[in-house]
Amino acid sequence: MAAYSDENFGAEEIADDIDSRKIIVRLLDENTTRDTIQGYFSAFGAINDVDLKIDEGGKSRGFCFITFTDGSVIDKLVEQTHIIDNKEVVVARAIPYKDRTKTNKLFVGGLPESLSEEEISEFFDQFGTIEKIETVIDQDTQRRKHFCFIVFTSTEAVEKAVNGKNPPRSVVHKKEKSTDCDSALIPLL
């Protein structure tokens, strides 16, 4: 791990530096180990850290983060095809911490059954232009579940709806009955 001794180098700068040297590897086999990942990617450059996400049983959850000593290797890495444990994996730049909460998709929960999609749209239009509303139908009852996702044309609309909290916390909006809103941080797997 790189050492930062300059007292003028703040936490935000350190996080930005680390993020600029970090990749995410997805679609790993459940039996892939940290050592396998370290061995494979060390051929591309010196590695500071491998953060393999594992489940309660000790198996890979299918993804990991790798922080390199030198971020210049990342551009070449993301353009190549990678096969680890006989499985093609996806390699991409990790989303910087400061950008992780930026989304144009809003989760709205606690919707009363009587509230129509049109009423939902009318209410949330105050925050920005709505691209679409995604509802989920219960397969057993064939009724809409009590939540939806609202996709806006901008991330600013979601920030307005969740009152600009970062990271966003649940915000209650009232339209006869209350609904809970939170930004929808959906990983791109």
Side-chain angles (χ1 to χ4, degrees), residues 62-134:
F63 70 101
C64 74
F65 294 95
I66 301 170
T67 306
F68 286 89
T69 303
D70 179 4
S72 67
V73 302
I74 293 176
D75 288 334
K76 185 170 66 171
L77 268 172
V78 298
E79 294 175 5
Q80 297 177 356
T81 301
H82 301 278
I83 298 176
I84 300 174
D85 287 339
N86 299 315
K87 186 173 181 185
E88 187 172 335
V89 297
V90 175
V91 175
R93 276 191 181 278
I95 298 171
Y97 182 78
K98 64 184 178 188
D99 296 335
R100 286 184 197 155
T101 58
K102 292 183 181 175
T103 180
N104 67 332
K105 196 171 204 177
L106 179 73
F107 170 79
V108 180
L111 293 173
E113 196 173 316
S114 61
L115 199 60
S116 72
E117 194 170 309
E118 185 176 296
E119 290 173 306
I120 295 167
S121 180
E122 285 173 9
F123 180 80
F124 284 96
D125 246 357
Q126 68 181 300
F127 301 111
T129 305
I130 295 173
E131 189 175 303
K132 66 181 173 178
I133 296 177
E134 299 172 350

Side-chain angles (χ1 to χ4, degrees), residues 25-89:
V25 182
R26 296 178 291 173
L27 303 179
L28 290 166
D29 184 80
E30 69 178 8
N31 295 311
T32 298
T33 65
R34 184 185 184 288
D35 289 342
T36 302
I37 295 163
Q38 177 98 28
Y40 179 84
F41 284 101
S42 64
F44 297 93
I47 295 175
N48 282 29
D49 184 49
V50 175
D51 183 12
L52 175 63
K53 301 302 180 179
I54 55 172
D55 64 18
E56 300 82 31
K59 299 237 183 224
S60 166
R61 289 179 44 207
F63 70 101
C64 74
F65 294 95
I66 301 170
T67 306
F68 286 89
T69 303
D70 179 4
S72 67
V73 302
I74 293 176
D75 288 334
K76 185 170 66 171
L77 268 172
V78 298
E79 294 175 5
Q80 297 177 356
T81 301
H82 301 278
I83 298 176
I84 300 174
D85 287 339
N86 299 315
K87 186 173 181 185
E88 187 172 335
V89 297

